[in-house]
Amino acid sequence: KAVQYVWTKDIPAGMFGSSPYTKNVKILVLRSGEELDWQKETRDIKSDYEMLFGEKLDKDISAVAFMSDSDSTATEVIAYYSNFEIGHLGRDE
């Protein structure tokens, strides 16, 4: 199962749903509209997973991918990624 975070031009931030291709991918819109400046995103992936799938995440996260595409919308995309920090939030559970 996977959580897919997206920025989109037309769908309001905060909207979420299932991928049209598989029920094992949930999509969460983080931002809407065009951004021209660098943006910082901070997410609690575990909490997002549990909200989107309605179940506890009982395994470690095994992969993170960063992608930019627009093939589903027949538009163009340019994206730059920098300074990733992925780690534990410091909460013991």
Side-chain angles (χ1 to χ4, degrees):
K1 293 184 176 176
V3 173
Q4 181 179 6
Y5 298 108
V6 300
W7 287 14
T8 178
K9 187 175 180 182
D10 301 318
I11 302 170
M15 298 292 293
F16 59 90
S18 297
S19 166
Y21 306 108
T22 175
K23 65 180 181 179
N24 288 328
V25 174
K26 301 295 183 185
I27 302 168
L28 177 59
V29 179
L30 297 183
R31 294 185 187 259
S32 183
E34 295 186 21
E35 295 287 347
L36 301 177
D37 296 319
W38 284 95
Q39 301 296 316
K40 179 179 180 177
E41 294 291 349
T42 302
R43 302 303 309 174
D44 181 337
I45 299 170
K46 181 176 185 263
S47 292
D48 289 342
Y49 175 95
E50 292 174 355
M51 183 269 298
L52 292 166
F53 284 99
E55 64 188 42
K56 289 279 188 191
L57 179 61
D58 59 356
K59 298 179 182 180
D60 290 335
I61 296 168
S62 60
V64 174
F66 298 89
M67 300 175 280
S68 297
D69 73 68
S70 59
D71 57 325
S72 298
T73 58
T75 59
E76 293 183 6
V77 64
I78 297 173
Y80 302 99
Y81 305 94
S82 180
N83 300 329
F84 298 105
E85 291 182 34
I86 299 172
H88 189 266
L89 293 174
R91 292 190 307 241
D92 292 327
E93 297 186 25

